[in-house]
């Protein structure tokens, strides 16, 4: 994998390439005229998302025997978010979150809690996207989907359903399978995990939609539940910093399907990246605050 400096260069090059390929003047004009109220709403939605993700991590960790206080969970998650959006790779903050929470149950359990929490987030986003695609395919007329989209959606759904079954048969993933059943799929916890996952996914999608609205594009429900998940999924490509460049390229390609311009997609994506960065900055204060905060907290409990 490329080191930090190459990833920075890749992100900058991709953003420059997307701006060159589209009308950079139009995209930057949209950004300069962005409505502050919608950007503030996006920041509030992303703040609520971070808090709910922290609570999901706490719940997942508790099911694995790792007790984390609510305040500590939110602080550590904020710190992880801040690190993820400022350093190349996008997972350094999550790795540090596992290391910093390993004391009570060991690094293996702490890492499993982080992995499963992130997995739960991806599953929830996939569920929203597949539902959106299914509704779009039975109610045509909103977005001009390319031929073969239905077959692709069915293939992705089949893989999503069969992959966990196949993985559970691999001996070296037996521990992960047990943890998955305990922390995410157990009857006592599944409703809470599902509710948190859907709420977090909705906040993320609505935050992007608010950034689009701030830069002059109104996205309908179909676009929010189908196109936006694809745009945000591009951020998972590890060859960048926090998805910069890949996200803008995906937005430029996909926004025309919703009747918007590529420049509108680039502007919305750049605004989302900037708001996400600003919304994560409070996490940088956590290391300085955590010492005094932890001393004032009651003993950590383990949820079962």
């Amino acid at each position: 994998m490329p080191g930090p400096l190459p990833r920075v260069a890749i992100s900058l090059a991709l953003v420059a390439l997307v701006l060159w390929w589209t009308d950079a003047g139009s995209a930057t004009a949209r950004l300069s005229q962005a409505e502050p109220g919608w950007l503030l709403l996006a920041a509030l939605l992303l703040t609520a998302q971070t808090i709910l993700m922290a609570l999901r991590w706490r719940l997942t960790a508790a099911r694995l025997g790792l007790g984390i206080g609510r305040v500590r969970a939110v602080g550590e998650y904020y710190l992880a978010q801040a690190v993820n959006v400022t350093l190349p790779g996008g997972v350094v903050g999550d790795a540090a979150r596992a290391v910093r929470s390993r004391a009570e149950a060991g690094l293996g359990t702490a890492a499993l809690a982080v992995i499963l929490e992130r997995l739960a987030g991806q599953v929830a986003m996939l569920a929203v996207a597949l539902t959106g695609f299914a509704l779009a395919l039975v109610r045509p007329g909103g977005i001009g989907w390319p031929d073969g989209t239905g077959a692709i959606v069915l293939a992705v759904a089949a893989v999503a359903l069969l992959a966990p079954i196949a993985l559970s048969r691999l001996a070296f993933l037996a521990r992960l399978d047990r943890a998955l059943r305990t922390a995410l799929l157990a009857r006592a916890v599944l409703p809470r995990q599902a509710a948190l996952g859907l709420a977090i996914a909705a906040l993320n999608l609505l935050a992007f939609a608010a950034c689009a609205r701030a830069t002059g594009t109104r996205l309908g429900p179909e676009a929010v539940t189908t196109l936006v998940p694809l745009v945000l999924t591009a951020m998972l490509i590890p060859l960048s910093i926090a998805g910069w460049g890949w996200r803008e390229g995906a937005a430029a390609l996909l926004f025309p399907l919703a009747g918007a311009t590529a420049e509108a997609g680039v502007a919305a994506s750049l605004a989302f990246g900037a708001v996400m960065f600003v919304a994560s900055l409070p996490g940088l204060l956590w290391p300085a605050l955590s010492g005094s905060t932890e001393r004032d907290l009651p003993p950590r409990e383990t949820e079962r």
Side-chain angles (χ1 to χ4, degrees):
M1 297 294 290
L5 290 180
R7 290 182 182 182
V8 172
I10 289 172
S11 284
L12 292 175
L14 285 172
V15 171
L17 179 62
V18 170
L19 288 173
W20 172 81
W21 178 63
T22 59
D23 183 348
S26 175
T28 54
R30 284 175 174 270
L31 281 174
S32 66
Q33 299 169 9
E35 298 182 35
W38 286 105
L39 296 178
L40 176 60
L41 175 60
L44 293 175
L45 291 170
L46 289 176
T47 297
Q49 179 197 28
T50 298
I51 293 172
L52 289 186
M53 287 192 296
L55 295 180
R56 179 173 64 192
W57 173 47
R58 179 174 182 264
L59 172 62
T60 303
R63 294 288 300 180
L64 299 178
L66 177 59
I68 303 174
R70 290 184 179 86
V71 174
R72 183 186 175 205
V74 173
E76 292 290 344
Y77 214 103
Y78 252 117
L79 175 61
Q81 292 280 80
V83 172
N84 283 345
V85 300
T86 54
L87 293 181
V91 296
V92 178
D94 295 313
R97 178 158 51 102
V99 171
R100 287 167 61 90
S101 62
R102 72 188 188 280
E104 294 184 5
L107 182 58
T109 299
L112 271 177
V114 170
I115 291 170
L116 291 180
E117 187 273 325
R118 292 300 300 266
L119 175 63
Q122 298 306 318
V123 170
M125 186 65 77
L126 177 62
V128 171
L130 288 176
T131 302
F133 275 113
L135 293 176
L137 291 174
V138 299
R139 297 175 59 186
I143 294 179
W145 297 107
D147 294 338
T149 299
I152 294 174
V153 171
L154 290 176
V156 171
V159 171
L161 291 173
L162 296 177
I165 299 174
L167 291 175
S168 67
R169 298 296 185 267
L170 299 178
F172 71 93
L173 290 178
R175 184 182 181 187
L176 177 60
D177 180 55
R178 290 194 298 270
L180 180 67
R181 295 176 186 276
T182 299
L184 301 184
L185 302 179
R187 183 178 301 178
V189 74
L190 180 58
R192 283 182 288 172
Q193 287 283 15
L196 282 169
L198 293 176
I200 291 165
L203 288 169
N204 203 8
L205 298 177
L206 290 174
F208 191 96
C211 289
R213 184 68 182 274
T215 53
T217 304
R218 185 193 295 267
L219 294 176
E222 183 179 340
V224 172
T225 56
T226 56
L227 297 183
V228 176
L230 294 176
V231 172
L232 297 180
T233 299
M235 296 174 63
L236 298 177
I237 300 174
L239 305 178
S240 67
I241 299 178
W244 285 97
W246 301 110
R247 179 184 59 234
E248 285 68 38
L253 290 172
L254 293 171
F255 263 51
L257 295 179
T261 64
E263 293 75 19
V266 174
S269 182
L270 289 173
F272 179 80
V275 171
M276 184 172 62
F277 174 77
V278 172
S280 71
L281 289 181
L284 298 177
L285 301 175
W286 176 246
L289 298 174
S290 58
S292 59
T293 301
E294 287 294 304
R295 286 195 298 269
D296 296 335
L297 288 177
R300 298 169 194 155
E301 69 276 14
T302 299
E303 293 183 4
R304 290 289 183 183

